[in-house]
């Protein structure tokens, strides 16, 4: 049962209010991670990483920093981590750099993937770098074709990787699977 969301149904508000109802969520949009900024005096801008990484939803400004007094349509990692997504078995992030983040004190990456795991998501497909749209489309078609045949998400992911070996672009290599 596939539902395409755009306009209001593709908004951050709609996502935060309804995402927990689904087994599988596929987000085809823009995402970002901003490293610390170095100020003129050589010190770092101290904005937590969960407020410097996010997903850009429909009808939103491309805000790069979270602000509680200026709500935006960009969904930041700190907001995602507070949503109950424990019913969601798989999130597919068909967006650039969704696996980016910073190394946390516990040795794991802090970013969108940490937020999704904190929210209760089972598995995540995400990207380490920018991936061109044509390669992404082909990779996702292979993945979903195999997944719809009854293979597990991990098996379908591996099969899509193998199916992409002869592709001219090697961007598909930047997609990773996280349990």
């Amino acid at each position: 049962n596939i539902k395409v969301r755009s306009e209001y149904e593709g908004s951050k508000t709609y996502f935060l209010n309804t995402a927990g109802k689904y087994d599988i969520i596929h987000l085809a949009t823009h995402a970002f991670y901003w490293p610390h900024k170095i100020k003129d005096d050589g010190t770092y801008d101290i904005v937590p990483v969960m407020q410097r990484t996010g997903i850009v939803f429909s009808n939103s400004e491309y805000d790069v920093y979270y602000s509680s007094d200026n709500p935006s349509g960009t969904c930041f990692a700190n907001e995602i981590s507070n949503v109950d997504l424990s019913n969601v078995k798989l999130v597919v992030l068909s967006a650039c750099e969704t696996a980016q983040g910073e190394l946390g004190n516990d040795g794991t990456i802090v970013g969108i993937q940490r937020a999704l795991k904190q929210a209760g998501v089972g598995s995540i497909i995400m990207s380490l770098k920018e991936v061109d749209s044509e390669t992404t489309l082909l990779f996702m078609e292979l993945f979903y074709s195999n997944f719809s045949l009854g293979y597990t998400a991990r098996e379908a992911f591996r099969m899509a990787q193998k199916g992409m070996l002869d592709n001219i672009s090697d961007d598909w290599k930047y997609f990773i699977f996280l349990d």
Side-chain angles (χ1 to χ4, degrees), residues 13-57:
T13 301
Y14 192 86
F15 172 78
L16 292 174
N17 290 330
T18 64
K21 298 178 185 178
Y22 300 99
D23 293 338
I24 300 169
I25 298 171
H26 182 112
L27 298 175
T29 185
H30 296 285
F32 62 90
Y33 156 72
W34 295 107
H36 279 295
K37 284 187 176 180
I38 299 176
K39 297 180 184 179
D40 291 338
D41 64 3
T43 62
Y44 286 103
D45 181 12
I46 308 176
V47 176
V49 66
M50 298 283 268
Q51 296 178 9
R52 290 184 281 113
T53 185
I55 300 169
V56 182
F57 280 86

